[in-house]
Amino acid sequence: MMAADALSIQGISKVFGRPGKPTVEALRDINLTIREGEFVSIVGASGSGKSTLLRIIDGLLPASSGVVRVGGAAVNRPGADRAMVFQQDALLPWNTVLDNVAYGLVIGGARKRDAHAVAQRFIEMAGLKGFEQHYPHQLSGGMRQRVNVARALAVDPKILLLDEPFAALDAQTREIMQGELLNIWQKSRTTVLLITHQIDEAVFLSDRVVVFSARPGSVREEIPIALPRPRALDVKRSAEFGALVDHIWHLIEHEVRTAVAENLA
Ligand code: ADP
Ligand code: MG
């Protein structure tokens, strides 16, 4: 039997209307399919609608047209089949790491003992063994994001949605986290859709990189990444890696420069 598509996005468009202001066309006719177990990234300039698309997939925002299916079922509200990790961590400061990771399971009705057993497994997968009883303020930024990823995976979503999860981290921590995320993904085999504006991050992590055009966001090109797995950070120094990054950069360079100029204006 052929594996079902984990995610199918068909003809998604989004126009924001604000009273007394011109409408903003954020997304135009997005079509994208992600297979089960695949790791796909979307890269695009700031303002190209990446977060808008992720919020539509998560069911936080209605599309203006089109349909999103997860595991074949159309979605229009948040559900346990999708888990999102944002740039800012969303941990409960008064809960331990263990209770934070178990949180979604407990909310979903699991008994605390069972939830803790599952949480423990994902804490170890995320390399956080020994920190179960720590509180978020006792952890580094990189560790907090690992807790967020563990918490998202603990509910066993059909797809993990990541919106610039490492953007608030310093450059070195960010590199380490990319390697950590690959380790976790290799063990969990969850389907992942990652949004980033960092091209080398997308190439390093993904089976496929989807390049967005500037506003309104649309799919400009899909680039398969055939780099062998498992990948270590030194693959970033290979010629093949450099050629992929160059190719994607040339696709969006003009739009990134325009976005920067608009922000400076
Ligand atoms: P990205 O994540 O790629 O930087 P966003 O999805 O955040 O882009 O935004 C895409 C465009 O939609 C931007 O021009 C942004 O200003 C606009 N936008 C996002 N959310 C809203 C909203 N709630 N109302 C009006 N415009 C919005
Ligand atoms: Mg964004």
Side-chain angles (χ1 to χ4, degrees):
M1 202 181 77
M2 232 175 73
D5 288 329
L7 174 72
S8 140
I9 299 168
Q10 294 165 327
I12 288 290
S13 298
K14 179 67 184 179
V15 179
F16 287 108
R18 296 164 300 173
K21 290 188 178 168
T23 57
V24 176
E25 186 182 10
L27 294 169
R28 183 183 291 177
D29 193 25
I30 306 291
N31 293 284
L32 183 65
T33 302
I34 302 185
R35 292 183 303 277
E36 233 167 70
E38 204 179 6
F39 195 127
V40 173
S41 295
I42 296 176
V43 297
S46 168
S48 60
K50 304 183 298 296
S51 294
T52 299
L53 180 63
L54 223 59
R55 286 165 66 210
I56 291 170
I57 296 169
D58 201 32
L60 297 169
L61 189 72
S64 302
S65 59
V67 61
V68 171
R69 290 177 201 281
V70 173
V75 301
N76 39 37
R77 64 177 71 86
D81 52 352
R82 288 146 288 151
M84 176 100 104
V85 174
F86 298 95
Q87 176 178 336
Q88 265 74 35
D89 74 64
L91 301 176
L92 301 171
W94 55 83
N95 273 357
T96 62
V97 166
L98 184 61
D99 282 326
N100 265 294
V101 175
Y103 182 77
L105 294 162
V106 171
I107 291 294
R111 290 206 321 244
K112 199 157 187 176
R113 274 187 58 170
D114 299 334
H116 278 178
V118 174
Q120 186 65 40
R121 208 155 53 77
F122 285 95
I123 285 170
E124 287 173 23
M125 206 183 273
L128 294 162
K129 193 172 162 60
F131 293 93
E132 292 84 349
Q133 299 308 323
H134 282 59
Y135 289 86
H137 76 270
Q138 298 173 303
L139 305 177
S140 68
M143 290 170 85
R144 281 201 298 274
Q145 274 310 51
R146 261 145 60 194
V147 178
N148 270 302
V149 171
R151 177 166 76 160
L153 289 173
V155 299
D156 194 23
K158 282 209 172 69
I159 186 162
L160 177 64
L161 306 169
L162 303 167
D163 191 352
E164 310 245 10
F166 309 141
L169 305 176
D170 65 77
Q172 284 92 33
T173 306
R174 186 175 182 134
E175 289 244 292
I176 304 283
M177 283 298 294
Q178 292 166 2
E180 292 286 334
L181 178 60
L182 272 194
N183 283 337
I184 299 170
W185 174 71
Q186 237 121 238
K187 290 177 198 151
S188 72
R189 303 309 309 192
T190 307
T191 309
V192 178
L193 177 58
L194 169 89
I195 293 221
T196 181
H197 59 256
Q198 206 152 317
I199 298 168
D200 79 311
E201 178 168 288
V203 172
F204 175 65
L205 294 170
S206 309
D207 296 313
R208 190 153 47 105
V209 174
V210 177
V211 181
F212 262 31
S213 69
R215 197 172 64 229
S218 61
V219 176
R220 167 159 289 181
E221 198 170 310
E222 291 189 32
I223 295 133
I225 309 295
L227 300 167
R229 295 188 187 272
R231 293 176 194 162
L233 282 167
D234 61 8
V235 75
K236 291 189 176 185
R237 290 193 290 272
S238 71
E240 192 181 356
F241 187 93
L244 286 162
V245 170
D246 275 357
H247 175 71
I248 296 170
W249 170 243
H250 286 127
L251 285 173
I252 62 172
E253 176 177 10
H254 174 71
E255 288 154 0
V256 171
R257 289 191 192 285
T258 306
V260 169
E262 276 172 9
N263 282 336
L264 291 175

